[in-house]
Amino acid sequence: MTLPAVDWAQPWLVPYRAHGEAVAQAVAHRPASVAAALQGIKPEVVPDFVHQDALPAGQAYEAHIFQTRTVPTRDNLHDFFNGLVWLAFPQAKRRLNELQAAEIARTGVAAVRGPLRDALTLFDENGAVLDAPPALWRALVARDWHTLFVTQRELWAEARLLLFGHALLEKLVTPRKPITAHVLLMHDATGPMAFDDALLAESLDAERLEVKPFVPLPVMGVPGWCAGNSSASFYADPYVFRGLSR
């Protein structure tokens, strides 16, 4: 198979670049399935990657991962990025899977997910984590885009934004201005907290996530992530940078 080309120089791909280039090369040149290429470089702490055919018909995907410690993987870009997030943040991914599996065991699989499973899926697919000075977070919560990206722009040098959702990473293979992440604040009272797999996993608890504490962020607005956003006029687009609903 052939995966679409990925521009690994993009700043949001820094945590995934080394593994991503290795897996993409294995898929392109052996050739190997995405599952086999991921399996070939994974450390022991990461579940085994298996072909999608290993998922029995009717079995819930998250429950299967929890029960078998294997990740069914299709030969597409979506599952390629899912595998890369497992490689980079195995404890956080395992925590999400544990919460999903516990909720499935408690309530079963229905046509509509409950609030916790819905929040877990949203973060897993489209989530991001922001460690930033309080002024930036306040501006983001208020959808005060001018303050966030123009008047307080220099504060982004003290911020770190991690894109975690694999569907979000997939969409950004073709960057577009409207692409939006669901952001979770990550900090402690003593100051900025380095992004660390164990710390991220620890922050993912059911009570916190069930209320969907996410804030939307159009990621192309992040300084340095798009050449066009060096001008203040970039943010004067009400279809992307929307204010709070009244």
Side-chain angles (χ1 to χ4, degrees), residues 24 42 48 52 59 63 86 89 98 100 102-103 106 122 151-152 157 159 170 173 178 194 204 215 220 225 237 241:
K42 81 167 193 72
D48 290 331
Q52 183 71 13
Q59 170 76 329
W86 268 108
F89 299 99
E98 288 171 350
Q100 286 272 18
E103 194 67 3
R106 187 179 73 85
L122 181 63
T151 61
Q152 298 288 349
E170 179 190 13
V173 170
L204 299 174
V215 181
M220 288 294 97
W225 284 24
D237 183 344
F241 297 98

Side-chain angles (χ1 to χ4, degrees), residues 103 106 112-120 209-212:
E103 194 67 3
R106 187 179 73 85
V112 178
R113 296 187 186 99
L116 177 56
R117 288 196 63 215
D118 189 45
L120 293 168
L209 294 176
E210 189 169 17
V211 297
K212 290 186 181 176

Side-chain angles (χ1 to χ4, degrees), residues 33-36 38-39 47-57 59-76 78-83 86 93 97 166:
S33 68
V34 171
L38 289 164
Q39 184 69 12
D48 290 331
F49 295 98
V50 296
H51 194 271
Q52 183 71 13
D53 292 347
L55 178 64
Q59 170 76 329
Y61 172 78
E62 295 288 353
H64 182 80
I65 293 174
F66 182 77
Q67 292 164 9
T68 67
R69 204 173 181 271
T70 63
V71 182
T73 302
R74 299 166 296 184
D75 287 325
N76 60 28
H78 186 86
D79 285 13
F80 167 74
F81 278 114
N82 184 50
W86 268 108
K93 287 286 283 186
N97 175 247
H166 54 281

